[in-house]
Amino acid sequence: MPQPPSGTVTFLFTDIEGSTRLWAERPDEMQSLVAAHDEVLRRAIEGHDGYVFATGGDGLGAAFSRAADAVAAAEEAQAGVAGLEHVKIRMGLHTGEAIERDRSYFGSEVNRAARLMSLAHGGQVLVSDATEVLLRNRVALRPLGEHRLRGLRGRMSIYQVLADGLPTEFPVLRSVDYFTGNLPQQLSSLVGRENVVSELAELARASQLVTLSGVSGVGKTRLAVEVGAELASEFPDGVWMVELASVGDPASVPAAVATVLGITPQGEAALIDTVADALGGRRLLLVVDNCEHVLAAAGSAIETILARSEGVKIIATSREILALDGENVLTVPPLALTGGVTSDAVTLFVDRAQAVRPNFGLSDLDTATAVTEICETLDGLPLGIELAAARMAAMSAAEVRDRLADRFRLLQGSIPGPERQLTLHHAVEWSYDLLTDDERELLRLTSVFAGGFDLRSICAVVDGADDVDVLRHLDSLVRKSLLVADHTATRTRYSPFETIRQFAEDRLAEAGALERTRDRHAKFFARESTARWEHWNGPGWREAVDWVEAELGNLRAGYQWSVGRGELEVAADIAAHAALMGFSVQLFETLAWAEEILEPAAAADVRRLPRLYTAAGYACFAGRAEAARAHAHRATELELDSRYDACEPGYASFVEALCQVYCGDLDRYVELTGAVAHTYGSDRGYGLASYVDGLQSSGRIEEALGLTEESVAAARSLGNPYWISYALWIAGLAFSKADVRRAFAAWDEGVAFVREHRVQFFEGFLARDAARLHTSDGEPETALVLFAEAIAAFQRAGNVPQLIITLASVPALFERLDRHAPAAMLLGSLSRESSSLHHVPDLGDLGNRVSRTLGETQAGELMSAGAALDLNDAAVYAREQIDAALRHPSPRARQARPGGLSRREIEVLRLVADGRTAGEIATQLFISSRTAEHHIQNVYTKIGVSSRVAATRWAVKHKVVDDIVAS
């Protein structure tokens, strides 16, 4: 037998991605696939002198004496398993001191290797910082930033192996840094800021508002993001970053905040008031970045939020302080220069220089002296140091020092401003002047983008663009630290630091090309949004809305620029299509664009005016139902006019129908949806589903049920996840009036579908209505979980009417679970919220029953205490009580079900025992065949069987089915 390596060892851990799901879906195939997988991995590992010491789950653990052998084995194994259908392997390599016992390994280094592997995606090979040192200059590696590993202290710099035959692009790593919120992933280490991070974290814990001030390039944003990640576990509602650099109009600041948080506008109420009300009772950290150019608007928004939201904390970054009451200011200093080659500033320089020249070091005295003098010349400003360090790819430290010093002497005093701001300006200008003419031109053009860009969009603003040349120049600008490349998405996305973008924009204006470039930018996004709309209503929905979300800053900038220039065709195309797509992912800011440009666009008689009116019709979701109805109706009038480009026939009528129901005209809703359904049938899946909704809402249950299956099938045929979610929700509403079992099936699948495809629009509706049905006819534990999800969803969106309906539905569940005190508290909290309570008509009878159970005195005291809660406090209280009910179930809730099976799983087991196939079960339960197979395998796993015969025997033994059925 081979001897296990000793001393310093490189560990390789592997695992089959999604193996649990694969075993459930393909149990027969997986046995042979895993055997083939094991053979491939063992051959690769042992062929490179590796030693397999662990075989856990569906992966292996191996040890190597040399890191190069470990990575070679990993590459060979990945190539080998590429031929195995359905199997993708994730891998992690880490080097450390081996602790060996009985031919195996133990200790923290082994744990780090296993945890590192768990971050990877199928096909990805990750390398720790310790292993990267040994592979440097020998293996191509991509830095993925610093990450925390689950269960282990500290952070690790992680790298991805790049090799022929291996995939290169993956989603973000699955680290514990991937928390609730939207903080950007950091791809570089933070150097020399430990004390400032600690101080800022303590300030943020102790006060509601902390402002990081300091000159450009000092690292305010990087610090705020680092502390946000550090505190993430302390904020259950997440850490959210609002980037204001791309917001040119101060009036758009509230919309930027609302969009990041997914908060729905409410009628004519000021948007910032809606945001502040929605945040009441939530515990989150808001990072508001780059406030200086919209200082008054940012300060006003922050002040309004903090005045109503005790659980919200804010870290703002700004060159100027906000000057608000209660503001704690932390001035971010440059990096320390004391200590010579050991100073923080020099440490940062070396770290960034090694990114472009891996063998860079300070062993040579002249180099060490030059680097120290560079950092002193740059006043310790991190951005300036990074720009200078990036030049180590082609210059020596002495050459950079001499040229930098000459430039600073030449420019001294030529530009008014604070000394350190001058320093940074000179550093940026020096880096800019060292570029080639083509690189300088490209950097100037990037300044018109807001929130980043990809290769296709930058090529759209370059004269005679050749994408290969542009890509080559982009790569050069990234290596020179003038652009940042983000590889976490499918397509690489580029962005400059805001300081550099502003500098480049000034140079673009000096060159007389600013207006022309902004025109091209706006026209590109007008064309692109129009083209993306063509794919929105089908399987391309997710890709289309992902694009709108990613490009929101560019769409906003292009829209505002075009409006200011009087380019109404361009502005209308952006506004109409951004709104037609954006509403489905709750980007309600785009609806406001469509509404505000309607009048000038109509006067200009733009070609896509019907689409603009249709988009404005979706303002019914933002509380402006009457105006929205008028807009949608105008769209129906225009869509038959050949002078215009309308949405597909019938779509404007459908949107008008939605407006009618929001205006309370149910009869007109049924009439319009019926017209769409009868005219287009299954070709308009959304029309058929909405007609079913109209029928069931107006009491025509039999007619609704007759069309329900067809409506879901039509939505599936259309392929748009948004309309499939909508159809499943409506189907559950219809079935809940006549067939509870099928209602559960539709809503359970709807909840799962919404989670899988991230259709957050229907998250609260599906969870709430399914919870209400489980309260009366289903499983109370399931109802608790679903109510918690619905409350959280409506709170996040600031959807006050739906939040009230949801909270009013919870007391009935508490009564069923013998939790009468919290039921009384919630009933009391709703005593002032009469506007939406007609949706829960049994509240009066419920209150009487709770009073009789508790006694009039106790019930009165509890209801009075509840009446003192505002709506957000009531929501927080409800969620706390739901958590308590889940942790400590009542005897009634603990009623045993055989094998711990849910109601749905028992139903599946009965059908399996009755001899039904997966397809028949899918039809019976009104779910997809894939979902039916998933339920069957879950049942088998829970009861410990692997065949229909064994499941039937188990069902008979545990009296799940009658003996006659089983026989």
Side-chain angles (χ1 to χ4, degrees):
M1 295 179 65
Q3 291 300 309
S6 58
T8 300
V9 168
T10 297
F11 297 104
L12 166 65
F13 274 80
T14 78
D15 184 47
I16 298 177
E17 184 180 54
S19 60
T20 302
R21 174 182 54 80
L22 290 171
W23 275 109
E25 294 177 354
R26 308 171 184 276
D28 297 329
E29 296 176 52
M30 276 298 285
Q31 191 164 355
S32 59
L33 284 172
V34 170
H37 152 275
D38 289 351
E39 182 180 350
V40 168
L41 263 67
R42 283 185 177 275
R43 185 168 59 245
I45 291 168
E46 292 170 3
H48 291 277
D49 299 325
Y51 170 75
V52 177
F53 66 90
T55 55
D58 294 307
L60 301 175
F64 298 79
S65 296
R66 296 183 343 117
D69 290 336
V71 77
E75 292 175 11
E76 181 179 323
Q78 287 286 14
V81 298
L84 300 178
E85 191 176 8
H86 310 304
V87 173
K88 291 185 177 181
I89 308 300
R90 48 187 184 155
M91 297 181 170
L93 292 93
H94 172 63
T95 303
E97 289 298 312
I99 302 175
E100 181 194 352
R101 185 170 72 244
D102 297 331
R103 302 181 65 82
S104 189
Y105 298 93
F106 302 89
S108 61
E109 303 301 339
V110 177
N111 292 337
R112 285 187 181 279
R115 292 287 189 263
L116 175 62
M117 177 273 293
S118 70
L119 268 59
H121 299 273
Q124 190 173 34
V125 181
L126 298 182
V127 168
S128 72
D129 46 11
T131 307
E132 182 269 342
V133 172
L134 303 175
L135 296 175
R136 193 175 294 168
N137 299 328
R138 305 176 66 177
V139 176
L141 299 172
R142 172 183 290 170
L144 299 180
E146 290 189 329
H147 296 265
R148 293 180 179 84
L149 303 184
R150 180 170 52 86
L152 298 174
R153 295 185 61 185
R155 297 165 68 90
M156 175 188 286
S157 293
I158 296 175
Y159 301 80
Q160 176 186 318
V161 174
L162 303 177
D164 292 341
L166 290 184
T168 58
E169 303 301 333
F170 296 91
V172 295
L173 297 184
R174 299 183 171 105
S175 72
V176 293
D177 290 326
Y178 202 55
F179 37 74
T180 300
N182 69 335
L183 285 186
Q185 184 179 9
Q186 296 305 301
L187 304 178
S188 61
S189 57
L190 186 67
V191 175
R193 294 299 197 189
E194 293 80 4
N195 292 337
V196 182
V197 167
S198 297
E199 183 180 359
L200 177 55
E202 289 307 311
L203 270 175
R205 289 187 179 101
S207 56
Q208 273 198 287
L209 172 61
V210 181
T211 299
L212 293 179
S213 70
V215 298
S216 295
V218 80
K220 301 184 293 294
T221 299
R222 184 67 174 85
L223 271 172
V225 171
E226 184 73 15
V227 172
E230 187 81 19
L231 300 178
S233 62
E234 302 175 27
F235 293 92
D237 293 307
V239 181
W240 302 88
M241 185 167 185
V242 179
E243 172 55 70
L244 296 182
S246 63
V247 179
D249 181 3
S252 296
V253 168
V257 179
T259 296
V260 165
L261 296 171
I263 292 173
T264 309
Q266 299 294 320
E268 300 303 322
L271 183 54
I272 194 58
D273 291 331
T274 300
V275 170
D277 290 339
L279 294 182
R282 288 160 66 175
R283 290 177 55 201
L284 60 80
L285 175 64
L286 203 59
V287 177
V288 185
D289 193 34
N290 286 308
C291 296
E292 53 275 340
H293 66 297
V294 286
L295 196 66
S300 176
I302 289 171
E303 192 170 39
T304 301
I305 290 170
L306 294 181
R308 306 186 201 178
S309 316
E310 294 183 3
V312 173
K313 293 180 181 289
I314 294 177
I315 296 176
T317 75
S318 177
R319 289 197 295 270
E320 299 179 52
I321 66 171
L322 299 172
L324 299 178
D325 290 341
E327 177 183 19
N328 285 271
V329 177
L330 178 61
T331 301
V332 180
L335 289 171
L337 294 165
T338 55
V341 294
T342 64
S343 69
D344 292 339
V346 172
T347 301
L348 176 66
F349 187 101
V350 173
D351 181 86
R352 300 305 192 255
Q354 288 177 344
V356 296
R357 195 205 299 176
N359 61 352
F360 182 85
L362 301 180
S363 56
D364 177 71
L365 179 60
D366 289 341
T367 299
T369 302
V371 169
T372 303
E373 291 176 359
I374 289 169
C375 294
E376 291 172 349
T377 299
L378 293 170
D379 286 338
L381 286 170
L383 179 55
I385 290 171
E386 292 192 17
L387 292 173
R391 287 290 165 182
M392 294 300 97
M395 300 173 69
S396 71
E399 289 171 331
V400 169
R401 174 198 57 194
D402 295 342
R403 285 161 176 76
L404 200 57
D406 289 343
R407 169 56 59 90
F408 275 39
R409 284 193 295 271
L410 179 66
L411 295 176
Q412 189 170 10
S414 63
I415 304 173
E419 183 179 346
R420 284 204 173 101
Q421 203 65 53
L422 272 174
T423 297
L424 183 60
H425 177 91
H426 296 344
V428 173
E429 190 163 32
W430 172 78
S431 296
Y432 175 79
D433 287 344
L434 287 177
L435 300 176
T436 67
D437 289 343
D438 288 340
E439 289 171 343
R440 280 197 292 268
E441 181 183 8
L442 185 63
L443 183 63
R444 291 195 297 267
L445 295 176
T446 66
S447 68
V448 300
F449 290 91
F453 57 89
D454 59 17
L455 177 62
R456 189 163 180 270
S457 56
I458 185 63
C459 285
V461 301
V462 175
D463 278 323
D466 178 287
D467 57 357
V468 174
D469 282 343
V470 172
L471 188 59
R472 180 165 54 84
H473 296 322
L474 286 174
D475 179 65
S476 178
L477 293 173
V478 169
R479 286 186 286 107
K480 294 177 173 70
S481 292
L482 291 162
L483 291 179
V484 176
D486 182 357
H487 301 286
T488 56
T490 304
R491 295 179 182 274
T492 302
R493 195 164 182 84
Y494 304 90
S495 58
F497 294 103
E498 178 59 16
T499 301
I500 292 172
R501 192 204 65 76
Q502 292 173 2
F503 177 91
E505 186 179 45
D506 290 342
R507 304 290 82 72
L508 187 64
E510 288 173 2
L514 179 60
E515 291 185 356
R516 181 178 73 251
T517 307
R518 285 205 173 278
D519 284 343
R520 287 182 175 179
H521 170 273
K523 288 175 181 176
F524 169 77
F525 281 99
R527 291 193 306 272
E528 191 70 6
S529 59
T530 304
R532 298 275 177 169
W533 164 246
E534 299 302 322
H535 302 284
W536 177 88
N537 199 14
W541 175 82
R542 185 74 256 170
E543 184 179 353
V545 296
D546 282 348
W547 179 84
V548 176
E549 289 183 307
E551 301 293 0
L552 183 64
N554 282 312
L555 291 166
R556 182 193 294 123
Y559 166 75
Q560 291 175 342
W561 173 260
S562 300
V563 169
R565 296 271 283 176
E567 294 284 351
L568 295 177
E569 290 278 0
V570 175
D573 277 355
I574 293 176
H577 298 105
L580 284 168
M581 294 182 284
F583 88 92
S584 63
V585 282
Q586 298 173 297
L587 293 179
F588 295 112
E589 177 186 353
T590 59
L591 299 180
W593 304 347
E595 291 177 284
E596 67 189 15
I597 199 178
L598 267 178
E599 186 175 338
D605 205 27
V606 300
R607 181 160 182 79
R608 296 192 175 92
L609 190 60
R611 296 188 186 185
L612 190 65
Y613 272 111
T614 303
Y618 275 123
C620 62
F621 293 133
R624 299 185 288 277
E626 291 291 347
R629 176 166 61 177
H631 298 326
H633 183 69
R634 180 59 178 150
T636 66
E637 295 174 337
L638 293 174
E639 73 175 3
L640 298 177
D641 191 327
S642 61
R643 294 178 300 157
Y644 301 107
D645 288 341
C647 299
E648 63 184 25
Y651 195 75
S653 295
F654 163 73
V655 176
E656 183 186 352
L658 295 179
C659 296
Q660 296 290 354
V661 77
Y662 273 87
C663 290
D665 193 340
L666 184 58
D667 291 340
R668 184 65 173 148
Y669 176 50
V670 176
E671 180 184 348
L672 287 172
T673 55
V676 174
H678 289 133
T679 304
Y680 303 104
S682 59
D683 288 342
R684 302 287 187 272
Y686 47 82
L688 204 54
S690 60
Y691 185 44
V692 169
D693 183 35
L695 292 173
Q696 68 87 23
S697 298
S698 59
R700 296 159 64 178
I701 304 302
E702 291 301 321
E703 292 178 78
L705 293 175
L707 292 172
T708 299
E709 290 191 36
E710 184 183 351
S711 71
V712 176
R716 292 192 198 280
S717 177
L718 196 58
N720 184 333
Y722 180 83
W723 297 128
I724 294 172
S725 303
Y726 176 62
L728 289 169
W729 174 48
I730 297 303
L733 290 173
F735 283 132
S736 67
K737 309 289 179 61
D739 189 338
V740 171
R741 178 178 53 83
R742 298 185 76 181
F744 281 135
W747 279 338
D748 287 353
E749 183 176 7
V751 170
F753 190 88
V754 160
R755 290 170 180 164
E756 179 182 357
H757 295 275
R758 295 180 288 133
V759 193
Q760 280 87 359
F761 195 101
F762 294 107
E763 183 181 12
F765 293 96
L766 276 160
R768 189 267 315 287
D769 290 341
R772 292 169 74 173
L773 192 57
H774 275 290
T775 295
S776 57
D777 294 287
E779 302 166 8
E781 303 99 316
T782 302
L784 286 167
V785 172
L786 290 171
F787 269 134
E789 292 180 0
I791 292 169
F794 289 132
Q795 259 196 303
R796 280 196 303 272
N799 194 328
V800 172
Q802 297 300 332
L803 179 59
I804 292 172
I805 295 169
T806 304
L807 292 175
S809 304
V810 175
L813 176 60
F814 283 160
E815 181 194 30
R816 182 179 172 186
L817 296 174
D818 299 324
R819 303 181 73 85
H820 297 95
M825 279 281 287
L826 271 183
L827 288 168
S829 72
L830 295 164
S831 59
R832 296 176 296 173
E833 307 290 352
S834 59
S835 58
S836 300
L837 296 183
H838 61 278
H839 291 280
V840 191
D842 299 330
L843 277 183
D845 292 340
L846 175 60
N848 293 333
R849 292 196 302 272
V850 169
S851 294
R852 286 196 298 269
T853 302
L854 292 173
E856 294 292 340
T857 301
Q858 185 182 2
E861 292 173 351
L862 288 166
M863 289 184 182
S864 296
L869 301 175
D870 65 20
L871 187 61
N872 280 300
D873 288 337
V876 172
Y877 175 78
R879 289 171 68 180
E880 290 173 347
Q881 292 302 312
I882 287 170
D883 288 342
L886 287 167
R887 288 195 305 270
H888 308 290
S890 65
R892 190 183 304 189
R894 286 195 298 264
Q895 292 176 349
R897 291 188 301 271
L901 299 178
S902 68
R903 172 188 287 263
R904 165 56 49 77
E905 289 164 340
I906 289 174
E907 184 70 21
V908 169
L909 180 55
R910 285 173 177 156
L911 292 169
V912 168
D914 197 28
R916 306 293 182 88
T917 66
E920 290 170 333
I921 293 173
T923 301
Q924 181 81 13
L925 296 183
F926 198 64
I927 57 180
S928 67
S929 295
R930 176 183 172 188
T931 303
E933 290 172 358
H934 177 72
H935 284 320
I936 292 169
Q937 292 302 325
N938 273 351
V939 170
Y940 285 3
T941 300
K942 278 192 175 183
I943 65 178
V945 302
S946 58
S947 69
R948 179 184 299 275
V949 172
T952 303
R953 289 174 181 156
W954 190 96
V956 172
K957 177 180 177 182
H958 292 84
K959 302 186 185 306
V960 174
V961 296
D962 297 332
D963 291 345
I964 296 175
V965 173
S967 65

